[in-house]
Amino acid sequence: METTEILAVQILLNGLISGIALAASSLAFGLVFLSTRVFHLGLCAIYVISPLVTWECVHRGLSWPVAAALGLAIGPLLSTTCYLGNHRPLQKKGATSEAHFVAALGGYLCMVQMAVMIFGNESRMLRTNLGSARSLGQLTLTDGQVLAAVISTVTVVAVLFWIRQTRRGLLLRAIAQNPSQCLLLGIPVHRVEATAFAVSGAICALCSLLSAYETGVDPNTGFIAGLPAIAALLIGGRSTLKGPILGGIFVGLMRTVSAWLFSAGWQDAVTFTVMALFLLLRPDGLVRAREGGLDRP
């Protein structure tokens, strides 16, 4: 291939890898939104706390597998706490979506400030070396990219399988359609919602560790890191699980191309400009739920 073609394919490959990782993160937001109509901003705090816990455990002498397991465990724990301590009480009081959003933002700020008090304000790297690169013909991928592509793909497939093939996943699809009727039928709606929060926290923790391994973690950038995933959810579609996946791939490609055409500093500006256009011209996103069921085949 010519140099221009190689460069184009390399950019496309980098964008797809970034997109599938972003799709997994966006799916975490989508699971909670489908079941509760809440933008779970607490995930932005988990995005920095989970890698910080892992880093702290490693530097206290624990092995990498144990440290990573503890970092992953903090995700569902904090996410479920956000539901039980914040959003569930608001649900009981019949709070509006705006109240949930403000409460979620406040919860994010509190968790981040607590993390800064405990772990400090400095940026950290999870890996201790520069990493290595692998060649695919004339293309090049880092070990971090390969790891992110494989684990993110497995995560997305596993979540879709869970939603479609398990009882709790089917219940989540049911309450996404009509929570009031599910309550009348005796379905434990609030337990299912708590499960959605826990699963989303686990997904976010996993994605954050992959990102921190490649680029490091800064305690003050959780909200900035989470915004592209929220944009992917809004662009892809909030009423279906296919939306966050397609939106993540689309946003990942768009951010990679914009960084190549302009600079990395333009990624967020391009992302949120496109998101604003979608909200104005196609508010339902790329994918709309079919009538009669969530992602009904």
Side-chain angles (χ1 to χ4, degrees):
M1 290 190 295
E2 296 182 358
T3 303
T4 305
E5 294 175 341
I6 295 173
L7 179 60
V9 174
Q10 181 72 63
I11 293 170
L12 177 62
L13 184 59
N14 291 345
L16 286 173
I17 292 173
S18 175
I20 191 62
L22 195 54
S25 298
S26 184
L27 194 57
F29 285 94
L31 280 174
V32 171
F33 187 84
L34 280 172
S35 57
T36 63
R37 298 301 184 265
V38 168
F39 276 110
H40 185 14
L41 298 182
L43 293 176
C44 297
I46 294 171
Y47 202 86
V48 296
I49 293 174
S50 182
L52 288 173
V53 169
T54 301
W55 183 91
E56 185 69 22
C57 290
V58 169
H59 283 73
R60 288 184 179 272
L62 296 180
S63 64
W64 266 103
V66 174
L70 291 173
L72 288 173
I74 204 71
L77 177 62
L78 286 178
S79 187
T80 306
T81 301
C82 287
Y83 175 72
L84 297 177
N86 196 354
H87 296 291
R88 180 67 190 122
L90 288 174
Q91 286 179 335
K92 291 180 178 179
K93 294 181 179 297
T96 63
S97 58
E98 291 82 3
H100 279 281
F101 183 85
V102 173
L105 181 60
Y108 158 76
L109 293 173
C110 290
M111 286 190 288
V112 168
Q113 290 307 310
M114 289 179 64
V116 170
M117 291 173 61
I118 295 171
F119 301 108
N121 216 16
E122 301 82 12
S123 299
R124 294 172 174 85
M125 286 292 297
L126 288 188
R127 67 182 184 192
T128 57
N129 52 49
L130 295 177
S132 58
R134 300 179 182 273
S135 297
L136 295 175
Q138 296 174 299
L139 305 176
T140 303
L141 292 176
T142 65
D143 285 344
Q145 285 180 303
V146 174
L147 190 66
V150 172
I151 294 181
S152 297
T153 301
V154 171
T155 300
V156 170
V157 172
V159 171
L160 293 179
F161 177 85
W162 175 71
I163 286 291
R164 292 182 175 276
Q165 301 298 327
T166 67
R167 181 177 181 274
R168 189 54 60 97
L170 293 174
L171 290 179
L172 189 147
R173 294 173 64 187
I175 67 172
Q177 287 298 305
N178 195 328
S180 299
Q181 185 175 0
C182 289
L183 279 172
L184 293 176
L185 293 173
I187 294 175
V189 170
H190 305 306
R191 291 183 184 179
V192 178
E193 291 176 344
T195 301
F197 270 79
V199 172
S200 70
I203 296 171
C204 182
L206 180 59
C207 293
S208 69
L209 290 181
L210 293 173
S211 176
Y213 178 81
E214 184 72 7
T215 62
V217 57
D218 187 324
N220 300 300
T221 59
F223 194 65
I224 299 299
L227 283 177
I230 296 175
L233 175 64
L234 296 174
I235 290 173
R238 304 180 294 279
S239 58
T240 167
L241 289 177
K242 297 175 184 176
I245 298 172
L246 293 179
I249 294 173
F250 176 80
V251 172
L253 286 168
M254 180 178 62
R255 288 172 66 85
T256 301
V257 172
S258 63
W260 175 68
L261 290 176
F262 308 108
S263 69
W266 281 92
Q267 287 181 318
D268 289 336
V270 172
T271 299
F272 298 120
T273 298
V274 174
M275 182 187 72
L277 291 174
F278 264 89
L279 291 175
L280 286 172
L281 304 176
R282 192 180 174 88
D284 290 334
L286 291 170
V287 183
R288 296 184 176 95
R290 298 181 184 181
E291 187 177 355
L294 175 64
D295 280 343
R296 182 180 175 183

